[in-house]
Amino acid sequence: MSLSPPPTSTTASSHDHHWTARLGIPRSLLWGYVGLLIFMIGDGVESNYLSPFLTDRGFTSGQAATVITAYGVAATIAAWFSGTLSALWGPKRVMMLGAGIWIALQVVFLAVALPTDNYTVVLLSYAVRGFGYPLLAFAFLIWVIAVAPVRRVSTAIGWFWFGFTGGLPTLGSLVASGAIPLVGEYGTLWVALALVAVGAVVCAVGLQEPTGKRPMVEDTTLTRQMISGIEIFWRSPKVALAGVVRVINTAPQYGFFVFLPAFFTITIGLSLGQYLLMVTLMFAANLPAGLVFGSLGDRFGWRRSVMWFGCVGCAAATLLLYYGPMAIKDNFWVATVCAMLWGFLLSGFTSLPALLLSMGRPEDRGSAFAAYSLCAGLAAFVGPALVAVFRPLVGVHGLVWLFTALYVAAAFMTHLLKSPADPQYRADAALTEAVPDGQAIKAAAVS
């Protein structure tokens, strides 16, 4: 099994000096980035008020946590399938499947589940909707990595996270804070549906780049590709290690969505509007940081950037996110500055996809896609699950230290991820200049 060669482009060189290329964005994928941003804005609208919204409707906090955890399980499965299906069908088809699932199940959630307050229907419809966003988002990430020049792949990934995080939860929370006073919490969920539909249309119409419209591997089946996506974890221990780091990368973020609303509104004393604005600013800081750390990774090393800024930086910022507001309660700006620092340093992980995909053999690149996607989705399950298990035992204080310890552990793991493909270890800088557009995947060296 091997990746099919990218199509020959006679126009690629003519685009080298286009403004998108200077920014590190593959020109042929520009509208995909725009569509991703709009889609993720819609997906992120509910991220910081769904739990209290459900409890206000009469569901218990345990039921609300179960709904969100089930959503995370579905997102994990979908993320795994995004890599597998992209290899078999091509990323664009997978993206459209994800958009269709999201839209259809959101209609069921809003038109059937919530009006009846039927917990079973709420649980099933919201959980199945969790298959939607990973299929669209992570399939597009695979498309980005396949098309971007290897010398700018980390920067292109940084722009992906700019769109992803710009929507979930940054601008999504901003939309929520503006829409809730106007149309209410339930009406705001319909606004989210409209935004997702617009983002899906932009991706469908604007993405015409040929690589992502066809299968990315040859001579394989769904079953074989799925098995290979699991086998690679013990076939390539470094891929497994990088996968664990990827889970730790955003597991705390998804865990924060569960317990930070109550912590900041009840313990710290912020209003819901202040909290939503704080989260918006928290991830607004993440946006330019992704571009900074993406460029930094391409220049000074993927591993070093992830280890020091991502792992160590987030460990320190997680503690500050708790102890800073606790030291000066009922102070919006103290809480916001601490949150923005955490959001900024979270982008220290921007180069991790490039690092993970350089760990395995070139013929395993399709499996590495699936492995990365599985771990990215697993974070959406692990974070809320850790909160559900440990909050009754250790409280918010203990959860903060648990997430800090995970980031420290990730730093030690990242230290072991040395790859000749990493800019830090390239003896000949001209290597990247010799690799044409569309060859980023095949250019990764064997570890």
Side-chain angles (χ1 to χ4, degrees), residues 195-392:
L195 288 167
V196 163
V198 171
V201 170
V202 171
C203 288
V205 175
L207 279 172
Q208 300 300 327
E209 195 280 328
T211 303
K213 296 169 70 175
R214 66 177 191 166
M216 305 184 75
V217 295
E218 299 172 341
D219 303 323
T220 189
T221 64
L222 175 61
T223 301
R224 190 186 308 167
Q225 185 67 18
M226 289 176 62
I227 293 173
S228 181
I230 294 296
E231 287 180 341
I232 194 172
F233 286 116
W234 58 81
R235 194 166 64 243
S236 177
K238 283 190 175 183
V239 169
L241 203 60
V244 174
V245 175
R246 177 60 188 89
V247 174
I248 295 172
N249 172 189
T250 50
Q253 173 185 332
Y254 290 104
F256 287 165
F257 291 159
V258 179
F259 73 87
L260 282 191
F263 171 69
F264 277 103
T265 57
I266 297 174
T267 304
I268 303 302
L270 303 185
S271 68
L272 178 59
Q274 286 179 316
Y275 171 72
L276 291 175
L277 179 57
M278 183 201 79
V279 172
T280 299
L281 295 174
M282 177 184 193
F283 287 95
N286 183 265
L287 302 186
L291 307 181
V292 170
F293 290 123
S295 178
L296 188 68
D298 282 331
R299 292 173 181 271
F300 301 112
W302 301 333
R303 183 186 68 91
R304 285 193 298 202
S305 180
V306 170
M307 181 173 67
W308 290 110
F309 296 108
C311 301
V312 177
C314 280
T318 298
L319 293 177
L320 185 62
L321 183 61
Y322 176 80
Y323 286 104
M326 284 292 287
I328 308 177
K329 291 186 178 181
D330 196 25
N331 190 306
F332 169 76
W333 289 111
V334 169
T336 299
V337 169
C338 295
M340 289 179 70
L341 179 62
W342 187 89
F344 184 88
L345 289 169
L346 183 64
S347 284
F349 288 94
T350 295
S351 299
L352 184 57
L355 186 60
L356 183 148
L357 292 173
S358 72
M359 293 290 111
R361 300 172 301 179
E363 59 267 29
D364 286 335
R365 207 60 56 208
S367 301
F369 281 152
Y372 175 84
S373 302
L374 172 62
C375 293
L378 193 59
F381 164 72
V382 170
L386 288 174
V387 174
V389 172
F390 287 100
R391 182 164 59 175

Side-chain angles (χ1 to χ4, degrees), residues 29-44 95-96 99 102 132-144 156-169 171-172 195-204 206-207 287:
L29 300 184
L30 175 61
W31 285 108
Y33 283 99
V34 174
L36 173 72
L37 174 62
I38 298 171
F39 183 97
M40 295 310 298
I41 290 173
D43 187 73
M95 291 174 67
M96 294 303 99
W102 202 106
Y133 91 84
L135 290 176
L136 183 138
F138 295 127
F140 181 63
L141 175 60
I142 289 169
W143 201 343
V144 168
I157 292 170
W159 280 107
F160 167 84
W161 289 115
F162 182 95
F164 187 100
T165 309
L168 174 67
L171 295 178
L195 288 167
V196 163
V198 171
V201 170
V202 171
C203 288
L207 279 172
L287 302 186

Side-chain angles (χ1 to χ4, degrees), residues 48-105:
N48 280 285
Y49 81 86
L50 182 67
S51 180
F53 171 71
L54 292 177
T55 56
D56 287 345
R57 295 183 69 90
F59 299 106
T60 67
S61 58
Q63 287 176 321
T66 300
V67 169
I68 296 172
T69 300
Y71 177 90
V73 172
T76 300
I77 297 171
W80 178 30
F81 272 90
S82 70
T84 300
L85 295 179
S86 292
L88 292 171
W89 298 347
K92 185 170 185 178
R93 186 177 175 186
V94 179
M95 291 174 67
M96 294 303 99
L97 175 64
I101 290 173
W102 202 106
I103 292 168
L105 271 296

